[in-house]
Amino acid sequence: MNRASLLVAWVLAVCAPHIAACAPHVTPDMTVHGLTLPVRDPTPRPLDDDDPREAPPESEPFQEAEIPSLQRELLSSGAELLIQEFKGSPFLELRLVLRHAGSDADGASPGLAALTLRACLEGGTLRLSSKDFSKRLAALEVQWKTVVTPQAATIRAVVPKYNGSEALALLLQALREPRMDFREINRLRRLAPPPPFFLEDPTSWLQTLEQKEFLRAIPSASTASRALGPAELRTFWKQYFGPKALTAVFVGEVDPAIKTTLEQGTNSWKSTPVEASQRALAPSRERHRILLMDRPEAPSAEFWVLASGPSPSSEEWAAFSILGELLGGSPISRLALAMAGSPPVAVAPGAHVEERSGYSILKIHIDSDLSRITKALSVTLDVLQKASEVSEDIELQGAQRRILAALRREASDPRRFADFWEQQILLGTTEVEWSRRAERIQKVNVQQVSKVAKSYLNRGFLIVVVGDANRLAPALQNLGDIVRLDPTNGSL
Amino acid sequence: MRRFFQVAGLTVLAITLGVVEHAEAKSPRSPMAQKRPAKTPRKRPSPLAPAPAPPLVASRTLSLPPFKIERSSLENGLRIVLCPIPTATSTVIAMIYDAGARRETMGASGVANWVRHSMNLGSANLLRGEHERHLATRGARGWSELSSDRAIFLTELPPGELPLGLWLEADRLKSLHWISEGALAQRDMLLLKLQKQAADPLQEAQDRLRSLVFQSFWPYEHTPRGNLAEVTSLRPETAQSFHDTFYTANNAILVVAGPIKAEQTTQLVLRFFETARRQERPSSILPPLPEQTSRRTSTIDAKGLSPRLLYGWTTPSNRTDDALAAQAALHILAHQRLPARLQNERGLVSKISVSQENLRPAVFTTIGLSLTENTTQSEVEQVLDTEINALAQKGPQNAEITMLLANTEAHFWQMYRDLPRLTVYLGDMELLYNDADRITSSLAQVSALTHEQIRAAAARYLGPTRRSLVGIGVKTDLVSPPKFTPPQAPPKGKHHRPHRPSKAKPRR
């Protein structure tokens, strides 16, 4: 080897790392359906000693905050008491969950569950008129609202901790001995909101749709909510309201007298509720089902892709949650990277997993304009098809950290904490779930994520597209069966 | 839902509490990281009552969360607000720039929004997108918000990641790489969003209401999002110039809340931010908002939505003495009287939503009413006028006061647990009124209000000539047929009482 060759070799050996360091840190572009998309490398760029750029600071060691464990007790009346200690707040978060009095239980009469709960709280009791009851609640400074989900009917309240027992006694009185006065029910019926339709409330509409599409149908829905009377309400109340179907959750500095109040308030409550049967999952689809919501001449368009996943109490749940996070939970998610570019294919794509009783659901939402929406849908389906290709630990670690951070946020606020327990009651996962949950997330590995992706994303999805139907329908025909919907219509 | 309304409404009320007295930051800043003493609230004699009136009385002792606010500033003018909360499980950083849409010039609306979206273009240390990448891989999240007054960048970090958050925020303040290509890509993204919002009738109604409320007052009359056509024609140089002018250390406030130690955090802030540039600060002085002397109305097509009415009011910004009373009056109206009368008693409205925006010239309050079937505008107006008149003549009732005080107290406790909201609140207080520390005396100030002050504020600020209205698909002058339908006889049962006809007259 001559001296010139040696010199070249030496120069290359010295400079190669520096040349490499100067190269842009991007992975090869991604090609999807003939469209080339720039893909950014999700790994942080390592800096060597000669790099003039400053490296971000390392993480500092920290000690995980200790969360007091949940106290759980079954009272002689059959009511369940859950207490989550939360120091330093003058308020008490209170949840009274009637576990089977949800909208799924109202069967043939939509709106019955919601109206029954409202009639209890706003229609007066056998001892108090509605006005007196309302005044008593206000005097105790109770801020409350009612929530009816497919599984349950719940009272959510926040009350100064010194008034906790009195407020509980009053609320139990309303549930135990409602007046069910015809005039009051008439008044409340008028205030009942119409079924959600897309333009007014897309989130509620989508939830109703989800129940309809992923669970087996409820027997015929024939009675309109406006025609409900005291007889129907009373029958429903007798069937689903009672101490054996009641769980009371308290988060805050809880006075021990609360337990006595709950016992006294439920012991005299003579009722034997029948448990509602849980709706079974509908069979999975072979082909995509497309619901096309027509917005004539709208320049923008959007779509949702929904896929059902494992039950929250199953071992696969943690991996499925991480999969949702990897797909669309952050600005470096796979969908975000696939949609980026100039011009972008879509704006801020997002995906997350929501928990339901007996199943979980992956929801992806994409916003774009009319000319790019079908391209965005193709990209999304392609990303979902490749979801099982999880190879980088750093991608997984980031997703785990983000989910754990979200979990910590739940425990930082009594209100969120109470909502968390309320949900866990309905999912049937309250046993030591708080500590188990973080553990389950941390233990997930790449293979498990890959496995759930293969199991749950290789099916037909439910796709809801919103935009100018005349222009979108031809492009969507090849993907699956299309059903056209009117956005101003509440019925599904 | 009720609680949501209360929270939304109370946000600005709470801001009002501590900031009656405004002091613009004209005095020279203290030296590097020197602590600024908290101001003591001055006692305000009521101009409305001849003799000192009794203050509002709570049914129990109200308590405020143990806020400890540490205010300081760096030599380059960066203002720092620290709020240690030992029990918090995450840390939130809010970087606030006095770079809201009011800084835009006519014909160039949307530039503030574009710049806000371009703050991840890369820097001397990071490539484009690496800012978010570092946050996401460490389990943190970041987002931003824009109003007419400010752009705010929020980062929520897990324990142990405070240095990363501060470093990233300082990095883009000190050395943002303004690359036209990247900025244009951000504009494309923005245009997609604007296109969607332009087709939304609710958004259109809110924009219309804003333009009515701030009529002929350009900085606040236009929507902070910007006009679609104007954003399309904006040039990268315009945005860059906006960035260079307003994104400087002495035009910014850094708020940190969470399980932090004030001394250590100050050291970190010094380490990362002390070399950030300062330059001559653009003036914040605004001409006064022209007084509204007549009712302003407009209607828009419902485009499929059910009919609704959007009412807008401006009440004094927090620099004036009766701002707090005006906010209390609006709170009682929106959260207590209207739900009781319009919803529960008359059934004219199915949903009431309230939002408030605290702005330099005024507090902008919106009350949205979703009308039930066959309800007309005049029916709603009648109830609204009756309630405002009653409030203006007789003042609030004791039960209303109890609820107002309880809600205010609960609001502060919720904020104590919700760090993003808390940092935004503290940042706004510091930006608009130069005093984040007033949060500690806020509850006492609302308790010191008198019935008479609230009554007088209702009379002065809530009358028909002070409000604006946008109707969405409403029947403005139609008289609907009587809606009273004779009820069916209930089935006889042990607990059923015989039905008595309602005393209420059928609505016209």
mmCIF file of all heavy atoms in Angstrom, chain A residues 41 45 54 57 59-60 88 90 141 143 145 182 190-191 200 401-402 412 415, chain B residues 1 3 6 59-60 125 130 133 136 138 160-161 167 306 308 347 483 488 507:
data_model
loop_
_atom_site.group_PDB
_atom_site.id
_atom_site.type_symbol
_atom_site.label_atom_id
_atom_site.label_comp_id
_atom_site.label_asym_id
_atom_site.label_seq_id
_atom_site.Cartn_x
_atom_site.Cartn_y
_atom_site.Cartn_z
ATOM 1 N N ASP A 41 -36.994 9.667 12.161
ATOM 2 C CA ASP A 41 -36.504 8.643 13.064
ATOM 3 C C ASP A 41 -36.989 8.951 14.479
ATOM 4 O O ASP A 41 -36.743 10.033 15.000
ATOM 5 C CB ASP A 41 -34.968 8.676 13.006
ATOM 6 C CG ASP A 41 -34.363 7.618 13.886
ATOM 7 O OD1 ASP A 41 -35.124 6.874 14.517
ATOM 8 O OD2 ASP A 41 -33.125 7.554 13.923
ATOM 9 N N ARG A 45 -31.448 11.790 18.818
ATOM 10 C CA ARG A 45 -30.152 11.762 18.161
ATOM 11 C C ARG A 45 -29.027 11.765 19.195
ATOM 12 O O ARG A 45 -28.974 12.639 20.047
ATOM 13 C CB ARG A 45 -30.060 13.039 17.323
ATOM 14 C CG ARG A 45 -29.005 13.101 16.322
ATOM 15 C CD ARG A 45 -29.232 14.357 15.535
ATOM 16 N NE ARG A 45 -29.806 15.417 16.392
ATOM 17 C CZ ARG A 45 -29.427 16.683 16.302
ATOM 18 N NH1 ARG A 45 -28.502 17.057 15.476
ATOM 19 N NH2 ARG A 45 -29.981 17.591 17.073
ATOM 20 N N GLU A 54 -25.685 21.240 21.872
ATOM 21 C CA GLU A 54 -25.833 20.903 23.280
ATOM 22 C C GLU A 54 -26.824 19.734 23.399
ATOM 23 O O GLU A 54 -27.834 19.703 22.696
ATOM 24 C CB GLU A 54 -26.427 22.127 23.978
ATOM 25 C CG GLU A 54 -26.205 22.193 25.458
ATOM 26 C CD GLU A 54 -26.881 23.422 26.037
ATOM 27 O OE1 GLU A 54 -26.781 24.523 25.429
ATOM 28 O OE2 GLU A 54 -27.522 23.274 27.071
ATOM 29 N N PRO A 57 -30.662 17.714 28.919
ATOM 30 C CA PRO A 57 -30.279 17.107 30.201
ATOM 31 C C PRO A 57 -30.883 15.711 30.384
ATOM 32 O O PRO A 57 -31.951 15.427 29.843
ATOM 33 C CB PRO A 57 -30.838 18.062 31.242
ATOM 34 C CG PRO A 57 -31.507 19.153 30.520
ATOM 35 C CD PRO A 57 -31.497 18.896 29.072
ATOM 36 N N SER A 59 -32.508 12.530 32.579
ATOM 37 C CA SER A 59 -33.568 12.458 33.603
ATOM 38 C C SER A 59 -32.937 12.441 34.989
ATOM 39 O O SER A 59 -31.855 11.868 35.168
ATOM 40 C CB SER A 59 -34.383 11.175 33.446
ATOM 41 O OG SER A 59 -34.841 11.048 32.147
ATOM 42 N N GLU A 60 -33.611 13.046 35.957
ATOM 43 C CA GLU A 60 -33.124 13.012 37.337
ATOM 44 C C GLU A 60 -33.798 11.863 38.078
ATOM 45 O O GLU A 60 -34.943 11.517 37.761
ATOM 46 C CB GLU A 60 -33.472 14.328 38.036
ATOM 47 C CG GLU A 60 -32.629 15.481 37.553
ATOM 48 C CD GLU A 60 -33.008 16.790 38.237
ATOM 49 O OE1 GLU A 60 -34.104 16.860 38.830
ATOM 50 O OE2 GLU A 60 -32.204 17.730 38.164
ATOM 51 N N GLY A 88 -55.589 16.619 52.345
ATOM 52 C CA GLY A 88 -55.332 18.029 52.032
ATOM 53 C C GLY A 88 -56.378 18.721 51.211
ATOM 54 O O GLY A 88 -56.110 19.763 50.632
ATOM 55 N N PRO A 90 -60.471 20.236 51.297
ATOM 56 C CA PRO A 90 -61.660 20.425 52.127
ATOM 57 C C PRO A 90 -62.916 19.838 51.479
ATOM 58 O O PRO A 90 -63.985 19.925 52.041
ATOM 59 C CB PRO A 90 -61.766 21.945 52.240
ATOM 60 C CG PRO A 90 -61.142 22.460 51.003
ATOM 61 C CD PRO A 90 -60.091 21.477 50.603
ATOM 62 N N GLU A 141 -74.255 22.931 49.976
ATOM 63 C CA GLU A 141 -73.236 23.289 48.976
ATOM 64 C C GLU A 141 -72.835 22.086 48.137
ATOM 65 O O GLU A 141 -71.663 21.885 47.822
ATOM 66 C CB GLU A 141 -72.007 23.909 49.639
ATOM 67 C CG GLU A 141 -72.343 25.178 50.406
ATOM 68 C CD GLU A 141 -71.164 25.708 51.183
ATOM 69 O OE1 GLU A 141 -70.033 25.409 50.807
ATOM 70 O OE2 GLU A 141 -71.394 26.421 52.175
ATOM 71 N N GLN A 143 -72.516 20.265 44.780
ATOM 72 C CA GLN A 143 -72.545 20.469 43.333
ATOM 73 C C GLN A 143 -72.639 19.079 42.718
ATOM 74 O O GLN A 143 -71.789 18.241 42.981
ATOM 75 C CB GLN A 143 -71.274 21.161 42.874
ATOM 76 C CG GLN A 143 -71.112 22.555 43.485
ATOM 77 C CD GLN A 143 -69.784 23.165 43.115
ATOM 78 O OE1 GLN A 143 -69.362 23.113 41.976
ATOM 79 N NE2 GLN A 143 -69.104 23.720 44.096
ATOM 80 N N LYS A 145 -74.212 16.255 39.440
ATOM 81 C CA LYS A 145 -74.809 16.002 38.132
ATOM 82 C C LYS A 145 -75.065 14.507 38.003
ATOM 83 O O LYS A 145 -74.514 13.714 38.777
ATOM 84 C CB LYS A 145 -73.909 16.502 37.005
ATOM 85 C CG LYS A 145 -72.599 15.786 36.850
ATOM 86 C CD LYS A 145 -71.909 16.269 35.594
ATOM 87 C CE LYS A 145 -70.582 15.579 35.411
ATOM 88 N NZ LYS A 145 -69.899 15.974 34.194
ATOM 89 N N PHE A 182 -96.524 12.783 38.765
ATOM 90 C CA PHE A 182 -96.801 12.882 37.330
ATOM 91 C C PHE A 182 -96.408 14.252 36.754
ATOM 92 O O PHE A 182 -95.822 14.354 35.684
ATOM 93 C CB PHE A 182 -98.287 12.626 37.084
ATOM 94 C CG PHE A 182 -98.633 12.612 35.634
ATOM 95 C CD1 PHE A 182 -98.307 11.521 34.839
ATOM 96 C CD2 PHE A 182 -99.236 13.700 35.034
ATOM 97 C CE1 PHE A 182 -98.604 11.515 33.487
ATOM 98 C CE2 PHE A 182 -99.535 13.701 33.684
ATOM 99 C CZ PHE A 182 -99.218 12.601 32.909
ATOM 100 N N ARG A 190 -89.876 17.050 29.348
ATOM 101 C CA ARG A 190 -89.700 18.113 28.362
ATOM 102 C C ARG A 190 -88.223 18.539 28.257
ATOM 103 O O ARG A 190 -87.742 18.939 27.208
ATOM 104 C CB ARG A 190 -90.552 19.316 28.786
ATOM 105 C CG ARG A 190 -90.487 20.472 27.833
ATOM 106 C CD ARG A 190 -91.452 21.556 28.250
ATOM 107 N NE ARG A 190 -91.077 22.819 27.634
ATOM 108 C CZ ARG A 190 -91.207 23.102 26.355
ATOM 109 N NH1 ARG A 190 -91.704 22.211 25.538
ATOM 110 N NH2 ARG A 190 -90.834 24.277 25.878
ATOM 111 N N LEU A 191 -87.516 18.441 29.370
ATOM 112 C CA LEU A 191 -86.110 18.861 29.388
ATOM 113 C C LEU A 191 -85.159 17.767 28.911
ATOM 114 O O LEU A 191 -83.961 17.993 28.767
ATOM 115 C CB LEU A 191 -85.706 19.282 30.806
ATOM 116 C CG LEU A 191 -86.458 20.469 31.387
ATOM 117 C CD1 LEU A 191 -86.085 20.674 32.829
ATOM 118 C CD2 LEU A 191 -86.160 21.721 30.585
ATOM 119 N N GLU A 200 -74.598 18.169 16.417
ATOM 120 C CA GLU A 200 -74.693 18.769 17.749
ATOM 121 C C GLU A 200 -73.583 18.272 18.667
ATOM 122 O O GLU A 200 -72.982 19.036 19.393
ATOM 123 C CB GLU A 200 -76.046 18.420 18.380
ATOM 124 C CG GLU A 200 -77.221 19.105 17.751
ATOM 125 C CD GLU A 200 -77.439 20.508 18.283
ATOM 126 O OE1 GLU A 200 -76.760 20.904 19.232
ATOM 127 O OE2 GLU A 200 -78.296 21.204 17.724
ATOM 128 N N ARG A 401 -43.954 5.084 29.108
ATOM 129 C CA ARG A 401 -43.784 6.259 29.982
ATOM 130 C C ARG A 401 -44.972 7.206 29.877
ATOM 131 O O ARG A 401 -45.417 7.775 30.869
ATOM 132 C CB ARG A 401 -42.507 7.016 29.602
ATOM 133 C CG ARG A 401 -41.264 6.330 30.104
ATOM 134 C CD ARG A 401 -40.052 7.086 29.663
ATOM 135 N NE ARG A 401 -38.842 6.414 30.069
ATOM 136 C CZ ARG A 401 -37.625 6.827 29.769
ATOM 137 N NH1 ARG A 401 -37.457 7.912 29.047
ATOM 138 N NH2 ARG A 401 -36.569 6.177 30.176
ATOM 139 N N ARG A 402 -45.475 7.395 28.658
ATOM 140 C CA ARG A 402 -46.605 8.319 28.487
ATOM 141 C C ARG A 402 -47.865 7.775 29.156
ATOM 142 O O ARG A 402 -48.610 8.526 29.779
ATOM 143 C CB ARG A 402 -46.859 8.576 26.991
ATOM 144 C CG ARG A 402 -45.774 9.401 26.328
ATOM 145 C CD ARG A 402 -46.196 9.881 24.958
ATOM 146 N NE ARG A 402 -46.382 8.818 23.995
ATOM 147 C CZ ARG A 402 -45.404 8.243 23.298
ATOM 148 N NH1 ARG A 402 -44.148 8.638 23.465
ATOM 149 N NH2 ARG A 402 -45.661 7.296 22.422
ATOM 150 N N SER A 412 -53.664 12.455 40.788
ATOM 151 C CA SER A 412 -53.247 13.744 41.331
ATOM 152 C C SER A 412 -54.429 14.609 41.733
ATOM 153 O O SER A 412 -54.264 15.643 42.356
ATOM 154 C CB SER A 412 -52.413 14.491 40.289
ATOM 155 O OG SER A 412 -53.234 14.824 39.190
ATOM 156 N N ARG A 415 -61.061 14.505 41.899
ATOM 157 C CA ARG A 415 -62.162 14.322 40.941
ATOM 158 C C ARG A 415 -61.829 13.221 39.936
ATOM 159 O O ARG A 415 -62.618 12.323 39.667
ATOM 160 C CB ARG A 415 -62.431 15.649 40.216
ATOM 161 C CG ARG A 415 -63.580 15.595 39.235
ATOM 162 C CD ARG A 415 -63.897 16.981 38.703
ATOM 163 N NE ARG A 415 -62.704 17.705 38.279
ATOM 164 C CZ ARG A 415 -62.159 17.615 37.071
ATOM 165 N NH1 ARG A 415 -62.705 16.841 36.171
ATOM 166 N NH2 ARG A 415 -61.089 18.317 36.764
ATOM 167 N N MET B 1 -72.331 18.243 33.814
ATOM 168 C CA MET B 1 -72.353 19.387 32.906
ATOM 169 C C MET B 1 -72.429 20.690 33.701
ATOM 170 O O MET B 1 -71.779 21.651 33.403
ATOM 171 C CB MET B 1 -73.538 19.240 31.963
ATOM 172 C CG MET B 1 -73.518 20.201 30.796
ATOM 173 S SD MET B 1 -71.978 20.201 29.859
ATOM 174 C CE MET B 1 -72.172 18.759 28.879
ATOM 175 N N ARG B 3 -71.285 21.242 36.526
ATOM 176 C CA ARG B 3 -69.990 21.584 37.109
ATOM 177 C C ARG B 3 -69.052 22.155 36.064
ATOM 178 O O ARG B 3 -68.284 23.053 36.322
ATOM 179 C CB ARG B 3 -69.380 20.358 37.760
ATOM 180 C CG ARG B 3 -68.610 20.775 38.966
ATOM 181 C CD ARG B 3 -68.252 19.594 39.738
ATOM 182 N NE ARG B 3 -66.813 19.501 39.722
ATOM 183 C CZ ARG B 3 -66.186 18.400 40.022
ATOM 184 N NH1 ARG B 3 -66.838 17.325 40.342
ATOM 185 N NH2 ARG B 3 -64.902 18.378 40.019
ATOM 186 N N GLN B 6 -69.825 25.680 35.720
ATOM 187 C CA GLN B 6 -69.336 26.443 36.861
ATOM 188 C C GLN B 6 -67.850 26.675 36.750
ATOM 189 O O GLN B 6 -67.351 27.767 37.006
ATOM 190 C CB GLN B 6 -69.663 25.694 38.151
ATOM 191 C CG GLN B 6 -71.123 25.872 38.539
ATOM 192 C CD GLN B 6 -71.604 24.780 39.459
ATOM 193 O OE1 GLN B 6 -70.874 23.847 39.763
ATOM 194 N NE2 GLN B 6 -72.836 24.884 39.886
ATOM 195 N N SER B 59 -71.640 30.447 54.697
ATOM 196 C CA SER B 59 -72.249 29.645 55.754
ATOM 197 C C SER B 59 -71.200 28.938 56.607
ATOM 198 O O SER B 59 -71.496 28.367 57.611
ATOM 199 C CB SER B 59 -73.174 28.611 55.122
ATOM 200 O OG SER B 59 -72.442 27.809 54.221
ATOM 201 N N ARG B 60 -69.964 28.953 56.176
ATOM 202 C CA ARG B 60 -68.881 28.314 56.945
ATOM 203 C C ARG B 60 -67.582 29.036 56.594
ATOM 204 O O ARG B 60 -67.572 29.900 55.715
ATOM 205 C CB ARG B 60 -68.781 26.845 56.579
ATOM 206 C CG ARG B 60 -68.522 26.661 55.114
ATOM 207 C CD ARG B 60 -68.591 25.229 54.664
ATOM 208 N NE ARG B 60 -68.529 25.214 53.205
ATOM 209 C CZ ARG B 60 -67.421 25.314 52.514
ATOM 210 N NH1 ARG B 60 -66.278 25.414 53.128
ATOM 211 N NH2 ARG B 60 -67.435 25.333 51.202
ATOM 212 N N ASN B 125 -29.706 23.458 18.473
ATOM 213 C CA ASN B 125 -29.405 22.145 19.048
ATOM 214 C C ASN B 125 -30.302 21.018 18.564
ATOM 215 O O ASN B 125 -29.955 19.850 18.745
ATOM 216 C CB ASN B 125 -29.523 22.218 20.576
ATOM 217 C CG ASN B 125 -28.506 23.174 21.168
ATOM 218 O OD1 ASN B 125 -27.321 23.079 20.868
ATOM 219 N ND2 ASN B 125 -28.975 24.121 21.956
ATOM 220 N N GLU B 130 -37.614 17.473 16.774
ATOM 221 C CA GLU B 130 -36.924 16.801 17.883
ATOM 222 C C GLU B 130 -37.429 17.273 19.242
ATOM 223 O O GLU B 130 -37.331 16.548 20.228
ATOM 224 C CB GLU B 130 -35.413 17.018 17.790
ATOM 225 C CG GLU B 130 -34.756 16.049 16.823
ATOM 226 C CD GLU B 130 -33.238 16.063 16.928
ATOM 227 O OE1 GLU B 130 -32.659 17.123 17.228
ATOM 228 O OE2 GLU B 130 -32.636 15.004 16.693
ATOM 229 N N ARG B 133 -40.120 15.049 20.027
ATOM 230 C CA ARG B 133 -39.585 13.698 20.165
ATOM 231 C C ARG B 133 -38.975 13.488 21.552
ATOM 232 O O ARG B 133 -39.209 12.472 22.192
ATOM 233 C CB ARG B 133 -38.511 13.496 19.090
ATOM 234 C CG ARG B 133 -38.157 12.071 18.868
ATOM 235 C CD ARG B 133 -37.235 11.944 17.687
ATOM 236 N NE ARG B 133 -37.763 12.629 16.505
ATOM 237 C CZ ARG B 133 -37.083 12.839 15.395
ATOM 238 N NH1 ARG B 133 -35.823 12.450 15.320
ATOM 239 N NH2 ARG B 133 -37.623 13.428 14.360
ATOM 240 N N ALA B 136 -41.851 13.243 24.056
ATOM 241 C CA ALA B 136 -42.629 11.993 23.968
ATOM 242 C C ALA B 136 -41.837 10.800 24.487
ATOM 243 O O ALA B 136 -42.402 9.935 25.155
ATOM 244 C CB ALA B 136 -43.070 11.763 22.536
ATOM 245 N N ARG B 138 -39.717 10.773 26.792
ATOM 246 C CA ARG B 138 -39.561 10.804 28.260
ATOM 247 C C ARG B 138 -40.915 10.786 28.972
ATOM 248 O O ARG B 138 -41.010 11.085 30.160
ATOM 249 C CB ARG B 138 -38.816 12.076 28.672
ATOM 250 C CG ARG B 138 -37.452 12.241 28.041
ATOM 251 C CD ARG B 138 -36.333 11.687 28.908
ATOM 252 N NE ARG B 138 -35.051 12.113 28.376
ATOM 253 C CZ ARG B 138 -34.298 13.057 28.916
ATOM 254 N NH1 ARG B 138 -34.690 13.661 30.024
ATOM 255 N NH2 ARG B 138 -33.147 13.383 28.375
ATOM 256 N N GLY B 160 -38.816 14.107 37.694
ATOM 257 C CA GLY B 160 -37.430 13.915 37.258
ATOM 258 C C GLY B 160 -37.112 14.511 35.902
ATOM 259 O O GLY B 160 -35.967 14.446 35.441
ATOM 260 N N GLU B 161 -38.093 15.099 35.231
ATOM 261 C CA GLU B 161 -37.849 15.607 33.876
ATOM 262 C C GLU B 161 -37.931 17.133 33.782
ATOM 263 O O GLU B 161 -37.971 17.685 32.686
ATOM 264 C CB GLU B 161 -38.841 14.984 32.887
ATOM 265 C CG GLU B 161 -38.784 13.474 32.787
ATOM 266 C CD GLU B 161 -37.460 12.951 32.229
ATOM 267 O OE1 GLU B 161 -36.601 13.778 31.838
ATOM 268 O OE2 GLU B 161 -37.269 11.718 32.194
ATOM 269 N N TRP B 167 -34.926 23.112 29.590
ATOM 270 C CA TRP B 167 -33.905 23.199 28.541
ATOM 271 C C TRP B 167 -34.569 23.346 27.168
ATOM 272 O O TRP B 167 -34.157 24.180 26.354
ATOM 273 C CB TRP B 167 -33.029 21.939 28.579
ATOM 274 C CG TRP B 167 -31.908 21.962 27.585
ATOM 275 C CD1 TRP B 167 -30.672 22.511 27.756
ATOM 276 C CD2 TRP B 167 -31.928 21.430 26.253
ATOM 277 N NE1 TRP B 167 -29.919 22.348 26.616
ATOM 278 C CE2 TRP B 167 -30.669 21.684 25.677
ATOM 279 C CE3 TRP B 167 -32.878 20.755 25.493
ATOM 280 C CZ2 TRP B 167 -30.323 21.289 24.381
ATOM 281 C CZ3 TRP B 167 -32.552 20.363 24.202
ATOM 282 C CH2 TRP B 167 -31.294 20.625 23.658
ATOM 283 N N SER B 306 -79.663 22.717 15.759
ATOM 284 C CA SER B 306 -80.910 23.149 16.371
ATOM 285 C C SER B 306 -80.757 24.623 16.774
ATOM 286 O O SER B 306 -79.638 25.091 16.997
ATOM 287 C CB SER B 306 -81.219 22.290 17.592
ATOM 288 O OG SER B 306 -80.125 22.309 18.459
ATOM 289 N N ARG B 308 -80.341 28.181 18.472
ATOM 290 C CA ARG B 308 -79.726 28.619 19.732
ATOM 291 C C ARG B 308 -79.413 30.111 19.686
ATOM 292 O O ARG B 308 -79.381 30.706 18.611
ATOM 293 C CB ARG B 308 -78.483 27.801 20.049
ATOM 294 C CG ARG B 308 -77.380 27.889 19.041
ATOM 295 C CD ARG B 308 -76.280 26.891 19.361
ATOM 296 N NE ARG B 308 -76.673 25.531 18.994
ATOM 297 C CZ ARG B 308 -76.054 24.437 19.415
ATOM 298 N NH1 ARG B 308 -75.049 24.518 20.224
ATOM 299 N NH2 ARG B 308 -76.436 23.245 19.026
ATOM 300 N N GLY B 347 -88.825 25.498 30.783
ATOM 301 C CA GLY B 347 -88.492 24.499 29.760
ATOM 302 C C GLY B 347 -88.243 25.114 28.388
ATOM 303 O O GLY B 347 -88.487 24.488 27.364
ATOM 304 N N LYS B 483 -98.121 25.739 23.430
ATOM 305 C CA LYS B 483 -97.476 24.430 23.479
ATOM 306 C C LYS B 483 -98.054 23.547 24.573
ATOM 307 O O LYS B 483 -97.641 22.421 24.733
ATOM 308 C CB LYS B 483 -95.975 24.614 23.704
ATOM 309 C CG LYS B 483 -95.297 25.154 22.479
ATOM 310 C CD LYS B 483 -93.826 24.981 22.568
ATOM 311 C CE LYS B 483 -93.279 25.928 23.611
ATOM 312 N NZ LYS B 483 -91.832 25.762 23.759
ATOM 313 N N GLN B 488 -101.814 13.234 30.067
ATOM 314 C CA GLN B 488 -102.643 12.030 30.142
ATOM 315 C C GLN B 488 -102.810 11.643 31.610
ATOM 316 O O GLN B 488 -101.947 11.932 32.431
ATOM 317 C CB GLN B 488 -101.934 10.886 29.412
ATOM 318 C CG GLN B 488 -101.759 11.180 27.944
ATOM 319 C CD GLN B 488 -100.721 10.256 27.330
ATOM 320 O OE1 GLN B 488 -100.131 9.425 28.007
ATOM 321 N NE2 GLN B 488 -100.496 10.430 26.045
ATOM 322 N N ARG B 507 -97.642 28.916 27.386
ATOM 323 C CA ARG B 507 -96.819 29.934 26.746
ATOM 324 C C ARG B 507 -97.430 30.317 25.409
ATOM 325 O O ARG B 507 -97.998 29.498 24.717
ATOM 326 C CB ARG B 507 -95.404 29.391 26.550
ATOM 327 C CG ARG B 507 -94.708 29.278 27.854
ATOM 328 C CD ARG B 507 -93.265 28.942 27.651
ATOM 329 N NE ARG B 507 -93.105 27.647 27.030
ATOM 330 C CZ ARG B 507 -92.597 27.479 25.825
ATOM 331 N NH1 ARG B 507 -92.224 28.518 25.123
ATOM 332 N NH2 ARG B 507 -92.455 26.301 25.321
#
